[in-house]
Amino acid sequence: MSCPPSSIVYNTTLCACPPGQVLNFSTNRCTLFQAISDIQTDSGVDYSIGFPATIFDFDSIRKFTQSQAVFLEATLVMLLSWLVFCFFLRFMSPGDGRNAWFKIRWWISRLDISFATRHWLDDQKVVTKRKTELGGTFSIASWILFIGLFAALLYQTISKRSVEVHNIRATNAPDLASFVNDLEFNITTISSMSCSNLRGLDTLVTGNPGFIDERFSPLSGFANYSCHNTSQGPTITLRCSPCKLIQDNLYISWQYVDLSNNPATAVGFQFNLTARNQANKKHVSFVCGTLKNGSSFDDKPVTFRGRDANILKFNLFPRIYRNLHDLRLIQPLFHEFLPGSSLYESSQLHASLENSNDGLINTTLYVNLLSAYIVEINNQNIMGPVSFLADLGGLYCISIGIFFYLLVQFEYRIKKIRNEDSVLRKIRNRRKAQDHWDKEICKVHLGLQYIG
């Protein structure tokens, strides 16, 4: 196969992609690796919802209600729409009580359920029950506000009814021995290499290198390991099941070496570390992400190649979930990426490709067990039935109080409104009397016709 366009030719006949680019075998072209360096972590435990998911599908509700603001905005829109509608009706003439405007205004006055006996009254007069159009408007407005605030309160109660409490305590070897988790490490070297380039994946180093506690042991005694080819490059998989972690530091190293017309070059790394409790396999904690280069390169495209090791540092954080029957789950966390030998100029990469001493990629997986402390996690309910009822009563008082104050101010400042209920009743009574009169006249005419 001929060299891809714009590739680097070295040793007369061999070729490699420029810095930051990886060979696409299907098109025989070098493409720039443009993934965003992103780290995602999940604890494997969801605290927000305590109801059975089969009864309440809260995941679908969250798509439309991301916060209380959605309920408050909907309440405001409905409230303003109702007030504007009622304000518009007040400019419509009731006529003789037979048109549609009068009927709508009359039924709005019948909706006066909250302020029927709380209207403007002259001094030293008996309190009488009055249903006015303004009272009906504000009664429905108060209930719209109350129902909207009640929905927001329910959302808060469901989504934030408890707080997560973390208690950190010192630990010892027996505590750590009780954490029996299944651990899986997947490290993908993004490149055009394959597992044929892999060398040296067989040794586990524990302790602190260079100190008295440093130990070497076969990697097979700690985990099952394998390499498989993917579309993005070779993936190293380490599975430890069951995994009892007592040592603080673990080091696992491997190398990729040059092969004929397949140099040891890489443009980044992808990782995925998961932990699962053997007794409760429902909960899985993980950390995954993509690494392109070190911060010192200002996000420039680079190619990793050379003797200096690329070190991926991870922490294992033991956690006990008291609210889940003392679930013991290790949380993997990404700590740091220390890039090794890397090249970001074409001339540098060309010189390295022609130097046999640079024909490898050293990679080290460094795992640090944070064994000094254990985090105990529990939930404390912050919303009991008494506090919920107190909040509900407060929302009702606020909703009624706001519109009662507006009602009093309108009737105090606009004298015409004080007797508007009697105006509507007079129009309605006059219409009924006219209807009765017309009916009697009709009977008289029919009687006279019968006599005649």
Side-chain angles (χ1 to χ4, degrees), residues 367-380:
V367 180
N368 177 31
L369 177 63
L370 301 177
S371 59
Y373 299 96
I374 288 180
V375 176
E376 297 179 330
I377 301 174
N378 205 345
N379 288 348
Q380 289 186 358

Side-chain angles (χ1 to χ4, degrees), residues 319-333:
R319 294 179 174 181
I320 299 177
Y321 296 89
R322 296 299 184 188
N323 57 316
L324 296 175
H325 308 290
D326 292 341
L327 171 68
R328 284 168 163 79
L329 189 63
I330 293 177
Q331 175 64 59
L333 300 171

